[in-house]
Amino acid sequence: MADVSHNRGDITSHPDASEMRERYARMLSGRDVALVDGPVFLLGLYCAASPWILHYTTSQPALVTHNLIVGIAIGLLALGFTQTPERMYGLSWAFCAIGIWMIIAPWVVGDSPDAGVALNNIIIGALAVILGLMCTATAARSAPRP
């Protein structure tokens, strides 16, 4: 019979030990923005739920759908930032673009929004731009130099 027990020995004898250490160090060096991942996800969650929180579901039905979809997109970006930071932080600029879109969306998508709806989207958009710039700056700072 084959021995299928797992020995908990030293990993230094593993053939890929140096590559694993390098990959782990690279991953940890790109996690400077880890403190931004949570707020980005919460911003997406609030953006998706804001039409129901502020009760403008009947007055702005197009903006309800818009905020729901954009909120889900922001949440998915946050999950991507968390799961694969080395790939996703290159898309931080897209998060800034989403923020700018959120600022102008009440007048483009909505139908003569009142001050509360417009202010809500302006705040969400401004926070998205700020968090996106933080992600972009940190990603640029921690990018490997040639």
Side-chain angles (χ1 to χ4, degrees):
M1 233 191 216
D3 180 22
V4 292
S5 63
H6 297 286
N7 296 339
R8 299 233 181 239
D10 191 14
I11 195 165
T12 56
S13 63
H14 192 280
D16 295 329
S18 61
E19 180 185 344
M20 289 188 293
R21 281 192 192 103
E22 180 183 319
R23 186 180 299 162
Y24 184 71
R26 196 177 19 180
M27 184 195 70
L28 286 179
S29 70
R31 296 302 298 153
D32 296 341
V33 191
L35 296 175
V36 180
D37 296 347
V40 169
F41 183 75
L42 290 175
L43 183 68
L45 186 65
Y46 174 74
C47 179
S50 65
W52 292 275
I53 293 171
L54 298 177
H55 304 292
Y56 61 87
T57 54
T58 57
S59 65
Q60 297 289 331
L63 214 51
V64 170
T65 307
H66 171 269
N67 279 17
L68 179 64
I69 292 170
V70 171
I72 291 170
I74 291 172
L76 289 175
L77 271 175
L79 290 175
F81 290 161
T82 303
Q83 294 296 318
T84 55
E86 64 278 353
R87 292 182 183 173
M88 291 297 291
Y89 284 129
L91 291 176
S92 299
W93 61 268
F95 191 48
C96 294
I98 289 174
I100 293 168
W101 172 251
M102 283 299 293
I103 292 172
I104 62 172
W107 295 279
V108 175
V109 176
D111 182 30
S112 63
D114 62 355
V117 172
L119 185 62
N120 177 59
N121 275 29
I122 290 171
I123 291 172
I124 292 171
L127 287 173
V129 169
I130 290 168
L131 290 171
L133 289 174
M134 288 173 62
C135 288
T136 303
T138 306
R141 187 179 55 214
S142 65
R145 306 274 190 263

